[in-house]
């Protein structure tokens, strides 16, 4: 309430309001605001010791390794280390204190246990030989639902599980890139050159057809000519995680949403939606990695459509509210409209030429409730579960104080040292993401197993 109990928005004097107004802001004023934001970030980063150059990953204790990473008893783990002095022995900070290991050392230890340990335990994660990586896209056109947080924790969960992961940031805000410490100078270190190269390859083939028909070819501009010489490996960055690589993002990527429709207009036969997945496949990325995690912007633009087309598994984070349910419904409705229209247009042309039609398909689609407050949202979450059925993951991703503190530091639970809190608080904080990953891993393994059985059946039928 205002003065003397008056409602604060009543009785405002226009002259007083004008007296408190700053001068109008022009485009240069926006640059000044951006500069003040950067200065503020640098001050906060300095006070909180946030890494502005190169992030490093903390070490993991024997307790964490035997509880979360390698399924062995602590006593057996220590005994194996004593018996094999050539294995990583870890570091201790005090005499007789706990041993701490880098993740790279953990991965080496996991390989040793897989080779020498019990055949009844799964020391290495399941990945059928000969089959490509699976791609998971985390998407929703509504902001603030935890897309990047969910995608980052999935990538880190899979890395801790032993998978080799490629993270692809398609959001020009670059939050995922910041989490993984990426340094992106311009659009040439984003996915832009991959999509431009796909267009360039198509344009070359199209121009050859034009020449064969006696028509003039379309020009190959300098941007496309430069992109044609690039591969995925040219833009991939290593991160502070030994088994997570990154294709990062920054503001320049946003302009691709204006450029891509121009190219599409020049040659309508270019299958823009296939550009990213096609380039990743051609460049051998799907054999080099086990999992590709794509984080998308809060919009249904061309970059998001590329990510959705590439996806084997689609995860849609959503909050637990009537408005969130309505927004998620609209998102799926837009997905249907978008992909149905692409199929209709492509299949009409294919039918005229006697070619096979186009049909989009995903191994699995799941909505995931994020930032869940069981005290306030249990009823609506139950109603959402009834409405969506198996499409909604039964696990709800709780929002805990530990998650909030990690978010403030542009980090994730798995990068947090539990000694900054205590084991119990750490275990509670990470349990919500462990459960999210467990649900995702069931989809991942099920999809791979289905592909594996189909491949075996194909071989059997051919023999």
């Amino acid at each position: 309430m205002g003065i003397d109990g008056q409602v604060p928005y009543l009785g405002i004097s226009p002259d007083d309001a004008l007296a408190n107004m700053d001068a109008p802001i022009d485009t240069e004023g926006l640059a000044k605001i951006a500069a003040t934001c950067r200065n503020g970030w640098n001050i906060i980063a300095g006070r909180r010791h946030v890494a502005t150059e190169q992030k490093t990953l903390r070490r993991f204790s024997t307790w964490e390794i035997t509880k979360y990473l390698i399924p062995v008893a602590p006593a057996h783990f220590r005994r194996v280390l004593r018996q094999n002095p050539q294995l990583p022995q870890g570091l201790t900070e005090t005499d007789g204190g706990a041993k701490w290991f880098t993740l790279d050392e953990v991965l080496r230890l996991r390989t040793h246990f897989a080779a020498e340990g019990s055949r009844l335990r799964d020391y290495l994660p399941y990945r059928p030989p000969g089959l490509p990586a699976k791609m998971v896209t985390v998407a929703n056109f509504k902001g603030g639902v935890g897309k990047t947080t969910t995608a980052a924790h999935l990538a880190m969960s899979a890395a801790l599980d032993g998978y080799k992961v490629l993270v692809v940031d398609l959001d020009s805000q670059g939050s995922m890139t910041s989490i993984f410490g990426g340094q992106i100078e311009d659009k040439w270190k984003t996915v832009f050159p991959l999509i431009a190269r796909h267009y360039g390859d198509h344009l070359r083939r199209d121009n050859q057809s034009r020449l064969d028909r006696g028509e003039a070819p379309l020009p190959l501009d300098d941007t496309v000519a430069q992109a044609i010489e690039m591969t995925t490996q040219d833009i991939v960055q290593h991160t502070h995680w030994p088994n997570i690589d990154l294709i990062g993002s920054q503001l320049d990527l946003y302009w691709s949403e204006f450029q891509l429709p121009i190219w599409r207009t020049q040659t309508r036969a270019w299958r823009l939606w296939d550009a990213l997945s096609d380039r990743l496949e051609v460049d051998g990325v799907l054999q080099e990695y086990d999992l590709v995690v794509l984080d998308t912007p809060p919009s249904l633009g061309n970059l998001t459509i590329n990510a959705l087309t590439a996806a084997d598994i689609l995860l849609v984070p959503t909050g637990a509210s009537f408005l969130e349910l309505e927004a998620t419904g609209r998102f799926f409705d837009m997905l249907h409209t978008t992909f149905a229209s692409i199929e209709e247009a492509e299949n009409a042309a294919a039918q005229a030429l006697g070619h096979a039609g186009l049909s989009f398909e995903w191994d699995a689609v799941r909505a995931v409730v994020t930032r869940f407050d069981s005290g306030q949202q249990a009823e609506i979450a139950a109603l959402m579960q009834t409405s969506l059925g198996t499409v909604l993951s039964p696990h709800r991703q709780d929002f805990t104080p530990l998650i909030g503190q990690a978010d403030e530091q542009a980090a994730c639970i798995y990068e947090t040292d539990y000694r900054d809190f205590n084991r119990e608080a750490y275990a509670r904080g990470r349990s919500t993401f462990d459960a999210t990953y467990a649900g995702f891993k069931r989809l991942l393994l099920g999809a791979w197993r289905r592909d594996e059985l189909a491949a075996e059946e194909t071989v059997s039928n051919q023999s």
Side-chain angles (χ1 to χ4, degrees), residues 27 33 91 197 223 232 305 360 419:
T27 52
I33 295 173
L91 295 178
R197 173 177 146 221
T223 297
T232 303
I305 290 174
F360 293 104
R419 291 173 295 180

Side-chain angles (χ1 to χ4, degrees), residues 137-150:
T137 293
V138 183
N140 195 332
F141 62 27
K142 190 176 188 307
V145 294
K147 287 190 305 297
T148 298
T149 300
T150 299

Side-chain angles (χ1 to χ4, degrees), residues 8 10-11 60-61 79 84 97 103 109-110 129 148 151 156 162 166 177 186 229 253 261 271-273 321 371 382 452:
L10 296 178
F60 297 84
S61 70
R79 183 164 56 251
N84 297 272
L103 181 56
L109 291 169
R110 177 183 274 132
T148 298
M156 293 180 186
L166 174 65
T177 301
D186 53 38
E229 304 301 322
L253 182 61
R271 296 173 67 155
L272 164 59
W273 53 87
S321 74
R371 299 176 177 271
E452 187 177 31

